[in-house]
Amino acid sequence: MKIILRREDYNRMYEHAKANVPEEACGLIAGKELEDGTRKITKVYLLENIDHSNEHFSIDPKEHLAAIKNMRANGLLPFGNWHSHPETPSRPSEEDKRLANDSRATYMIFSLEHEDEPVLNAFHIEGNDGERTVRKEELEII
Amino acid sequence: MKITVAGEKKDVKDGLTVAELIVQEEVETPEYVTVSINEEFIKNDTFDTYVLQDGDDVEFLYFMGGGR
């Protein structure tokens, strides 16, 4: 599946991730599905990591609920979430895979491991516990 | 009775529990789902006993978290 992200949203994610260092930053992504199945992200939600940790993140359920209602009110589809890895690469960790419980979701990871070379990737994760399959999605930033 | 599930109005039987609604809605991996009723989150161990009321607004949210 192809994912399209606007440059301005990429920049907002990057700034949010950078502002939250050393903690992981997180949020949600939403948008419209194009005829060919491409997911065009038109709204990125910058939310609080209630774990306030450099090793974990949890999205505040109240903010999550408010974002879902905002998406619905604006005719957007919930696509999934994003979070940052301040110190590690842009790939799902074992914990990321274990907690990726929505097989319809897109999971984006913004790595700040190398300060001058941020990396954002999108993944699809599915399967049962212990047998998760990870597929890197095509990501186009426009 | 009529309730709203994830923004959609639905007719359901009287006395429906949250656990029964989860089955009816074919919610994937319900053990990782948080449920809100009228914007209040309910405890997961009450799904079997929580009886929905006419007019309730129900949302299923997947826990979203991870680690490095």
Side-chain angles (χ1 to χ4, degrees), chain A residues 11 15 66:
Chain A
N11 291 340
E15 291 301 328

Side-chain angles (χ1 to χ4, degrees), chain A residues 40-100:
Chain A
K40 184 174 185 185
I41 298 169
T42 58
K43 179 125 184 174
V44 171
Y45 296 83
L46 311 178
L47 305 180
E48 182 183 354
N49 171 9
I50 57 172
D51 292 341
H52 292 288
S53 163
N54 65 334
E55 296 187 347
H56 306 279
F57 82 97
S58 298
I59 291 178
D60 179 353
K62 285 183 181 168
E63 285 193 337
H64 187 172
L65 179 61
I68 292 289
K69 287 183 177 285
N70 180 270
M71 289 173 202
R72 202 173 288 144
N74 288 288
L76 304 178
L77 295 172
F79 286 157
N81 71 39
W82 73 277
H83 73 284
S84 67
H85 282 180
E87 301 157 17
T88 53
S90 172
R91 48 92 188 99
S93 65
E94 288 307 310
E95 189 175 348
D96 289 333
K97 286 189 262 187
R98 185 173 60 78
L99 295 173

Side-chain angles (χ1 to χ4, degrees), chain A residues 24 28 51 54-59 61-62 64-65 68-69 72 80-81 83 85 87-88 91 93-96 98-99 101-104 129, chain B residues 4-8 25-41 57-68:
Chain A
E24 293 192 4
L28 295 171
D51 292 341
N54 65 334
E55 296 187 347
H56 306 279
F57 82 97
S58 298
I59 291 178
K62 285 183 181 168
H64 187 172
L65 179 61
I68 292 289
K69 287 183 177 285
R72 202 173 288 144
N81 71 39
H83 73 284
H85 282 180
E87 301 157 17
T88 53
R91 48 92 188 99
S93 65
E94 288 307 310
E95 189 175 348
D96 289 333
R98 185 173 60 78
L99 295 173
N101 297 303
D102 186 352
S103 63
R104 298 159 302 178
D129 283 343
Chain B
T4 304
V5 181
E8 279 185 40
E25 292 293 312
E26 299 179 347
V27 174
E28 278 185 57
T29 55
E31 62 273 29
Y32 294 108
V33 164
T34 303
V35 177
S36 84
I37 313 283
N38 305 325
E39 305 206 1
E40 293 290 332
F41 290 94
D57 180 10
V58 184
E59 296 278 356
F60 298 116
L61 296 180
Y62 281 97
F63 168 78
M64 296 240 175
R68 58 191 295 176

Side-chain angles (χ1 to χ4, degrees), chain A residues 110-140:
Chain A
F110 212 130
S111 170
L112 302 180
E113 182 184 22
H114 303 292
E115 197 180 335
D116 53 349
E117 207 176 311
V119 179
L120 177 65
N121 286 314
F123 301 92
H124 174 84
I125 303 171
E126 64 179 31
N128 300 320
D129 283 343
E131 292 179 29
R132 298 279 199 216
T133 306
V134 177
R135 187 178 69 233
K136 189 173 162 183
E137 306 280 29
E138 181 185 351
L139 174 62
E140 184 183 1

